[in-house]
Amino acid sequence: MRQRLPDQTISAWARLQRASQSVLSAVESDLKAAGHPPLAWYDVLLELKRAGKDGLRPLALQSQMLLAQYNLSRLLDRMAGDGYIERRPCPNDGRGQIVVTTPAGRHLLKRMWPAYEAAIQRHFAERLSAEEATRLAHLLGKLSPR
Amino acid sequence: MRQRLPDQTISAWARLQRASQSVLSAVESDLKAAGHPPLAWYDVLLELKRAGKDGLRPLALQSQMLLAQYNLSRLLDRMAGDGYIERRPCPNDGRGQIVVTTPAGRHLLKRMWPAYEAAIQRHFAERLSAEEATRLAHLLGKLSPR
DNA sequence: TATTAATATATGCATTTGCATGTAATTGTC
DNA sequence: GACAATTACATGCAAATGCATATATTAATA
């Protein structure tokens, strides 16, 4: 321990816990109320869409989403079980897979967005000015890998 | 849906998810590596300590920690099982309880702090200047209840 | 003051997470 | 090019979480 933490730091830390907990669970709750699957499903589908035709290796999804390997593996199980994604063998690497969205998955992504956008608006965006959002994004960017 | 979300807002939102996930799990992991219970245990003990001699109703802890009622109930089960807290009948309200720390609980709070402080330093504080921490605290404060 | 509604907390059961480890393929080394 | 080490992903089992509902008590109403 090099030095005692200053009060503003402790306060920022406490608020990070509270704010993320509060906003994330409110958004999750709105999604569920609209009859949709959890946020993580949306995130997976979005990453896959961004990745395009070739899909993504689970490994890449993992580091993008900061999800534990076994959690992603089971999340993909569930999403594949519901027909939203497909696992394909990876041509370059026999151990790996390529994950791609199905048409149903791409459709789900579209269907979820209105509820998701409204939830972000209600629980997050509404509480910040444009400038505040920019500053917050900048500060939070310092806290996660790359 | 009143309006499309601006890009900075979406970016801030995405970074809130990533940053909180990244930092919280890193801190949890350091605590566990040091042989300590999860963060939530520390939070409970700290709130109880702040509340002083009279302890707290679970209801109060719940809203302070933004924890679901059943989750808090079971968290208290575990902590009581390990002897860190005690549930006492509530004099004013026969339905309720008063939760207080035991000596072992107060001791745990002290023992956990060095590892916790170091983890906050390493994964959070180190990445922000004092001024940035202040600004971050201010912005995050807008996002959670009161 | 019965009776109904609301509140505080607990709990059975299904789902999810975490941990440890398994399996199969690939890479590195000699 | 054989063999050990590493990597990618899966999985059995225990713990935690979420959901629905139960139980006991207090507050509200008629």
Side-chain angles (χ1 to χ4, degrees), chain B residues 70-71 74 78 92-95:
Chain B
Y70 46 83
N71 279 338
R74 275 156 169 160
R78 282 170 248 144
N92 320 327
D93 188 338
R95 296 164 299 183

Side-chain angles (χ1 to χ4, degrees), chain A residues 70-71 74 78 92-95:
Chain A
Y70 46 83
N71 279 338
R74 274 156 170 159
R78 283 170 247 142
N92 321 326
D93 188 338
R95 296 165 300 182

Side-chain angles (χ1 to χ4, degrees), chain A residues 19-31:
Chain A
S20 61
Q21 163 67 21
S22 153
V23 179
L24 280 170
S25 70
V27 169
E28 286 281 13
S29 163
D30 281 10
L31 279 181

Side-chain angles (χ1 to χ4, degrees), chain A residues 55-128:
Chain A
L56 277 180
R57 300 281 298 263
L59 200 63
L61 265 172
Q62 211 183 112
S63 72
Q64 184 58 38
M65 299 185 56
L66 306 180
L67 229 54
Q69 181 270 320
Y70 46 83
N71 279 338
L72 177 60
S73 174
R74 274 156 170 159
L75 174 55
L76 295 177
D77 285 350
R78 283 170 247 142
M79 294 183 67
D82 283 4
Y84 296 126
I85 61 148
E86 223 183 277
R87 298 197 233 221
R88 298 193 180 145
C90 179
N92 321 326
D93 188 338
R95 296 165 300 182
Q97 321 172 339
I98 299 283
V99 183
V100 297
T101 55
T102 62
R106 294 186 284 281
H107 183 56
L108 178 60
L109 188 71
K110 281 204 180 79
R111 281 192 302 126
M112 284 180 77
W113 178 240
Y116 188 19
E117 181 174 40
I120 296 174
Q121 174 68 33
R122 181 150 100 91
H123 302 292
F124 180 76
E126 219 166 59
R127 297 160 183 258
L128 299 171

